[in-house]
Amino acid sequence: ELSRHDRAFVRPSPNRGTLGGLAAYTNDAVTLCQSAGYELVLVETVGLGQSEIEICEGVDMLLLLVPPGGGDSLQGAKKGIVELASMLVVNKADGNLLPAARTTAADYEAAIRFFRHR
């Protein structure tokens, strides 16, 4: 639906091996969209690691989606991307994943109390 909206511009930007989860020109693309009059620009990344924090330099708000469970659910709570997130959301919190999602949310809520506010 979004890609068909007349005020939306959806553009994939593969990072081509650049670390940080962003293509080398992503910040330029965001600036271009803002200059073209888009009030809201969403930048999606996938598979960011703890040290891949370049996304923070190009956005006003960092929303981090965390899946429920997944082994060491607090691995990301080490210094890095979780510490820099403006908002953390545990997704897939339905059906048989609801208990794991609640546990993951509680674990992160307890862990982020120790982070310094930015």
Side-chain angles (χ1 to χ4, degrees), residues 13 21 27 30 37 40 49 53 62 68 70 75 87 97 105 110-111:
S13 302
N27 288 339
V30 169
L40 177 64
I53 58 174
L62 176 62
Q75 180 181 359
M87 182 182 296
L97 290 176

Side-chain angles (χ1 to χ4, degrees), residues 2-78:
L2 178 61
S3 63
R4 295 183 200 160
H5 193 281
D6 62 345
R7 290 286 298 148
F9 176 71
V10 178
R11 170 84 173 122
S13 302
N15 68 2
R16 294 194 172 114
T18 304
L19 293 178
L22 298 176
Y25 55 85
T26 300
N27 288 339
D28 294 336
V30 169
T31 300
L32 181 65
C33 289
Q34 291 171 330
S35 298
Y38 289 94
E39 295 177 20
L40 177 64
V41 179
L42 302 176
V43 178
E44 179 185 12
T45 66
V46 293
L48 290 178
Q50 294 171 357
S51 63
E52 296 176 304
I53 58 174
E54 287 79 4
I55 183 66
C56 296
E57 297 171 9
V59 297
D60 295 324
M61 178 184 169
L62 176 62
L63 172 69
L64 184 63
L65 295 176
V66 178
D72 183 8
S73 62
L74 289 179
Q75 180 181 359
K78 300 170 187 159

